[in-house]
């Protein structure tokens, strides 16, 4: 029997057009948004291009001149309304994340709470953008420091936290008096468009918050507008290091302010003196959240030799006991799919490379239907393998034996 999963989200929150200057706009073409668990098309979304991106920048620039005049309290009240609407619609917003991103519903609901918390925080911080008075070296002068919004901010966000990565950036920008143009990841535009709908319901003025969804093919040209247009003052990007380098080069010509959160390669270190049960619990939490697709997931596991075998055995047992693959809407699912086939292929390539160099597959190791990957535990991993050099972004645990100098005697 083939199970059919359907997205049950009301029309106002399931938007498929771009959002520019307070209006929902169509583009010349559309692109499909797929459920990564099934490969089935959810909807088709407007494929915005450079023209729509420029329109959004112009709208944000125009709106900036009035938005920056709002008092801190006025901006605070609007952000608070937006926060309250996220909580009111948390179940539907979580469904959007699960269906376009693949997260289990428990994690998606957690993300919506996380996402809303940024709006709550910055709604309060909006009232606290204080200046300062600095002692002057001259008796006849006073030095006053004023904090002012920089202008239009281009917000380029990833697919692994399609709601929270937007509110974290946008909440701060709007609280400060900036306006924004958001380009969500091509895999997960629906969460961004739902946020736009709720921003409008909250009363955030036209042009202050704009969203330009686009396909993978249109991303370079849209990104070029958002990073080179002279009306853009600031760029905030979360994503890969390679893409970050490209955006930095484009931003350099107009010397824009840039904030970037790029790829990670975090080690998880277990010493001989560790409490192994706690170490295994920590490893499970830090590796398998969102099927290993977070920027803070542990990527390399460095375990001292005296506890190496016991750690691998205990971790394998925990993986068997706690991890359940499936569609994110199933209540017992802990591990959803990877975001797309390319992501699954990358993990499989790292596994194949490691095995070819002598690593042993203790658990998993196989690609399943679609973009599902078995949670995989590798032993006898060495530093020359790809999985110890590149960020994995998937459910792969490579365990490296760390031998102390004294252990060799």
């Amino acid at each position: 029997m083939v199970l059919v999963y359907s997205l049950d989200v009301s029309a106002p929150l399931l938007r498929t057009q771009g959002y520019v200057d307070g209006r929902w706009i169509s583009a010349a073409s559309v692109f499909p948004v797929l459920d990564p668990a099934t490969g089935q098309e959810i909807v088709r979304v407007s494929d915005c291009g450079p023209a729509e991106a420029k329109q959004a920048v112009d709208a944000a620039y125009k709106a900036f001149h009035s938005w920056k005049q709002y008092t801190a309290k006025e901006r605070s009240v609007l952000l608070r309304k937006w926060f309250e609407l996220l909580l009111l619609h948390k179940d539907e917003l979580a469904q959007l994340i699960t269906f376009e991103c693949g997260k289990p519903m428990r994690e998606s609901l957690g993300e919506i709470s996380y996402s809303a918390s940024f709006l709550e925080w910055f709604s309060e911080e909006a009232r606290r953008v204080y200046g300062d008075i600095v002692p002057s070296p001259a008796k006849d002068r006073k030095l006053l420091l004023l904090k002012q919004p920089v202008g239009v901010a281009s917000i380029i966000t990833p697919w692994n936290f399609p709601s929270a990565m937007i509110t974290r950036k946008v909440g701060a920008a709007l609280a400060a008096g900036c306006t924004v143009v958001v380009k969500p990841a091509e895999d997960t535009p629906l969460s961004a468009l739902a946020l736009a709908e709720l921003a409008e319901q909250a009363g955030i003025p036209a042009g202050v918050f704009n969203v330009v969804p686009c396909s993978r093919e249109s991303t370079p040209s849209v990104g070029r507008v958002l990073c080179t247009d002279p009306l853009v003052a600031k760029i905030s990007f979360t994503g890969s290091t390679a893409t970050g380098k490209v955006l930095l080069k484009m931003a350099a010509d107009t010397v824009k302010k840039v904030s970037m959160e790029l790829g990670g390669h975090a080690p998880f270190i277990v010493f001989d003196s560790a409490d192994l049960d706690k170490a295994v619990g920590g490893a499970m939490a830090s590796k398998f959240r969102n099927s290993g697709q977070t920027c803070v997931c542990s990527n390399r596991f460095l375990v001292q030799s005296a506890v190496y075998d016991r750690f691998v055995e205990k971790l394998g047992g925990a993986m068997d006991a706690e991890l359940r693959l499936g569609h994110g809407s199933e209540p017992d699912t802990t591990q959803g799919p990877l975001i797309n086939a390319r992501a699954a292929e990358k993990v499989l390539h790292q596994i194949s490379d490691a095995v070819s160099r002598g690593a042993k597959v203790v658990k998993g190791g196989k690609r399943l239907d679609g973009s599902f990957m078995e949670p995989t535990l590798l032993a006898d991993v060495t530093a020359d393998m790809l999985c110890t050099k590149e960020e994995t972004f998937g459910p792969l645990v490579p365990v490296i034996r760390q031998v102390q100098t004294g252990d060799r005697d």
Side-chain angles (χ1 to χ4, degrees), residues 15-20 24-27 29-31 33 44-50 52-53 56 181-190 192-193 196 210-216 218-219 222 226:
R15 292 288 188 172
T16 60
Q17 296 171 292
Y19 185 70
V20 175
W24 296 99
I25 65 166
S26 297
S29 59
V30 295
F31 67 100
V33 178
R44 295 193 173 198
V45 172
S46 293
D47 189 3
C48 294
E52 289 80 15
V181 179
V182 177
K183 192 212 82 65
E186 67 271 13
D187 293 298
T188 56
L190 302 182
L193 296 172
N210 306 275
V211 181
V212 284
C214 64
S215 65
R216 184 177 179 84
S218 298
T219 290
V222 169
L226 298 184

Side-chain angles (χ1 to χ4, degrees), residues 87-139:
L87 294 186
L88 181 64
H89 295 281
K90 63 181 180 181
D91 292 332
E92 289 179 297
L93 295 172
Q95 274 198 62
L96 287 175
I97 292 175
T98 289
F99 273 79
E100 67 177 348
C101 175
K103 282 185 183 179
M105 272 297 291
R106 185 187 306 172
E107 288 193 28
S108 296
L109 285 165
E111 179 176 344
I112 294 304
S113 296
Y114 185 46
S115 178
S117 74
F118 290 119
L119 297 181
E120 180 185 35
W121 176 268
F122 288 114
S123 74
E124 296 165 355
E125 289 301 297
R127 301 170 184 255
R128 305 188 184 103
V129 184
Y130 303 132
D132 206 352
I133 299 176
V134 180
S136 171
K139 293 181 179 180

Side-chain angles (χ1 to χ4, degrees), residues 209-273:
F209 181 74
N210 306 275
V211 181
V212 284
C214 64
S215 65
R216 184 177 179 84
E217 292 73 25
S218 298
T219 290
S221 59
V222 169
R224 190 171 296 108
V225 171
L226 298 184
C227 293
T228 62
D229 193 295
L231 299 184
V232 173
K234 165 82 179 182
I235 299 167
S236 180
F237 169 71
T238 296
S240 72
T241 303
T243 301
K245 290 178 180 179
V246 173
L247 300 186
L248 277 171
K249 289 178 181 177
M250 289 195 288
D253 285 344
T254 44
V255 197
K256 300 186 189 305
K257 297 178 183 294
V258 177
S259 298
M260 295 199 171
E261 179 193 3
L262 305 179
H265 193 40
F268 187 99
I269 303 172
V270 182
F271 292 101
D272 290 345
S273 58

